[in-house]
Amino acid sequence: MFGLIGHLTSLEHAQSVARELGYPEYADQGLDFWCAAPPQIVDTIRVTSITGQEIEGRYVESCFLPEMLANRRIKAAIRKILNAMAHAQKAGINITALGGFSSIVFENFNLGQMSRVRNVTLEFERFTTGNTHTAYIICRQVEAVAPRLGIDLAKATIAVCGATGDIGSAVCRWLNTQMDVAELLLVARDQERLTALQAELGRGKILGLDEALPLADVIIWVASMPKGIELNPDRLRQPCLLIDGGYPKNLAGQIQHPGIHVLKGGIVEHSLDIDWHIMDIVKMDIPARQLFACFAESMLLEFEKWYTNFSWGRNQITVEKMQQIGQLSVKHGFRPLLTLN
Ligand code: NDP
C-alpha cells in the first residue's frame, strides 16, 4: 500500500475545505486549532496502471499549514509532520510521499534526528520526498512547451528560482547535461549555496530575482515560499514561459498578459481515472487524472514494490535517478501536464 502526506495551502484554504466537506465547526477555527489538530487518513485511493496492475493507497492530511512557519509556530509544524509520518507507518503503509512542505519541514528542522514519535520508531525507508519525479516532470514540461511558444531552447535563457533547493538543483543538473540551453540563471537567497551549485554545474549566472526576471525566456519557479509573490508582467520578456512548481504556488493570482504563459509545474496526468476525492480539494482541472508528481512517485514505487526512500536528503538527486523514475512514469501511464493556464 502507498501513502500520500499532504497539506492545504493556507488557513483560508483549510477553512473553505472544512466548510465544503460539511465540518462548519472546523471552518470558523483559527491557526491555533490547526496547530492542535491530529493527522487523519481522509481518502482511500485506487490506481490502475496502463499495464493493468492495480494498487491501493491512503491520503494522510497532516493539518500542517504554511502559516505555521510564517508565524513561528515551528514546534507545531514539526509535530504535524512527525505525527503524520507515524500515523502513516502505523496504518501499515509501505511507501509514503512527503508532499509539498512536508519534506521541507523534515529537512530544514533536521527531523531525521527525531525518529521516535511516542511509541513509534519511524522507519525512514518507508518515506520518499517524491522530488526526483517532480524535477523530472518539470524538465519534460520545459522541453515540450517552450518550443510550442516559439522559444528556441538552444538560444534561450532559463532562470531557476529556488535553484539551490532539492528540486531546483536537480532541474539545473538536467538542464546542464540533458538539454541544449544557451544560458542558465541561478536565483535563491543564500550566496554560499549558490556559489557551490555554480561550481558543481561549471556554469550558470548568479542573479537576484529582480535582475533575472527581465532576462529570462523561461522561468522555473521551485522556491519554498509559504505565500506566492505578485509579478509585474510588463517586466518580462515576450514570449515568456513561467512554470510554477511551488506548493503553495510561487506566483500569486492569475497573470493575464499576451505573450506570458503560465504552466502548473510538477503536475502529471494519468492515462486512466484514479478512484479518489482528494484532488478536488486542491483544485486540479481534471481531478480524477491530475496530481502532484511527488505523489505519483510513491505510486510508482508501489507499482514496482520498491519499498525504499528513492528520493531522500537534500540536493542528491542525480540525472540517472531522474531517468529511472521517468521510465517508470511512462511505463505506468503518467505524462507531464502540458496545458497552459
Ligand atoms: P527546498 O527547501 O529544497 O528549496 C527551496 C529553494 O527555494 C532554495 O533554493 C531556497 O534557497 C529558495 N528560496 C526560498 N525562498 C526564496 C525566496 N523568497 N526567493 C528566492 N528563493 C527562495 O524545497 P524543495 O525543492 O523541496 O521544494 C520547492 C517547492 O516545490 C516548494 O514550494 C514545494 O512545496 C514544491 N513541491 C512541489 C511538488 C510537486 O509535486 N509539484 C512536490 C514537492 C515539492 P534560499 O533559502 O537560499 O533562498
Side-chain angles (χ1 to χ4, degrees), residues 7 98-101 103-104 108 129-131 134 138 161-168 187-191 193 209 221-225 245-248 250 265-267 291-295 314-315:
H7 62 84
L98 299 178
F101 264 72
S103 68
I104 295 171
N108 288 358
T129 64
N131 287 347
T134 303
I138 290 174
C161 178
T164 53
D166 199 35
I167 299 172
V187 181
R189 295 163 304 177
D190 186 300
Q191 293 303 308
R193 285 205 293 259
L209 185 58
W221 296 88
V222 280
S224 51
M225 299 180 190
Y247 183 84
N250 281 180
I267 304 291
L291 61 149
F292 300 104
C294 62
F295 285 172
R314 270 295 178 267
N315 297 20

Side-chain angles (χ1 to χ4, degrees), residues 94-308:
N94 300 305
I95 185 74
T96 300
L98 299 178
F101 264 72
S102 315
S103 68
I104 295 171
V105 170
F106 188 93
E107 284 302 326
N108 288 358
F109 301 107
N110 257 324
L111 305 196
Q113 313 283 322
M114 302 182 197
S115 59
R116 189 91 188 151
V117 183
R118 290 180 303 278
N119 60 344
V120 178
T121 303
L122 289 175
E123 295 161 15
F124 294 132
E125 65 277 12
R126 287 170 176 261
F127 300 89
T128 186
T129 64
N131 287 347
T132 310
H133 192 223
T134 303
Y136 166 82
I137 291 296
I138 290 174
C139 294
R140 303 263 54 155
Q141 290 178 305
V142 176
E143 281 168 351
V145 178
R148 273 188 2 208
L149 300 174
I151 299 170
D152 176 357
L153 288 171
K155 295 183 187 148
T157 297
I158 301 191
V160 181
C161 178
T164 53
D166 199 35
I167 299 172
S169 60
V171 166
C172 289
R173 280 178 208 116
W174 184 282
L175 296 177
N176 193 30
T177 59
Q178 306 301 303
M179 285 165 68
D180 181 16
V181 172
E183 183 93 76
L184 193 53
L185 308 180
L186 311 176
V187 181
R189 295 163 304 177
D190 186 300
Q191 293 303 308
E192 218 173 291
R193 285 205 293 259
L194 281 165
T195 315
L197 177 68
Q198 189 186 44
E200 180 202 320
L201 299 172
R203 68 182 286 200
K205 257 192 204 154
I206 297 172
L207 290 180
L209 185 58
D210 286 343
E211 298 164 289
L213 293 181
L215 303 176
D217 302 289
V218 178
I219 307 169
I220 300 173
W221 296 88
V222 280
S224 51
M225 299 180 190
K227 210 164 177 265
I229 56 169
E230 298 284 347
L231 206 59
N232 178 358
D234 292 328
R235 299 192 48 234
L236 303 178
R237 278 192 175 171
Q238 287 187 42
C240 185
L241 171 61
L242 308 176
I243 301 192
D244 190 350
Y247 183 84
K249 292 275 155 234
N250 281 180
L251 303 175
Q254 294 271 335
I255 298 176
Q256 274 170 351
H257 197 276
I260 312 295
H261 307 274
V262 181
L263 181 67
K264 287 181 188 163
I267 304 291
V268 285
E269 220 168 80
H270 193 44
S271 307
L272 302 166
D273 281 1
I274 297 175
D275 182 8
W276 63 357
H277 304 287
I278 206 68
M279 288 298 132
D280 293 334
I281 287 170
V282 286
K283 309 251 180 292
M284 290 289 169
D285 295 331
I286 310 174
R289 298 246 172 145
Q290 294 175 352
L291 61 149
F292 300 104
C294 62
F295 285 172
E297 182 170 306
S298 71
M299 296 172 184
L300 295 170
L301 298 177
E302 174 68 26
F303 277 129
E304 296 294 318
K305 301 276 177 285
W306 288 0
Y307 296 139
T308 160

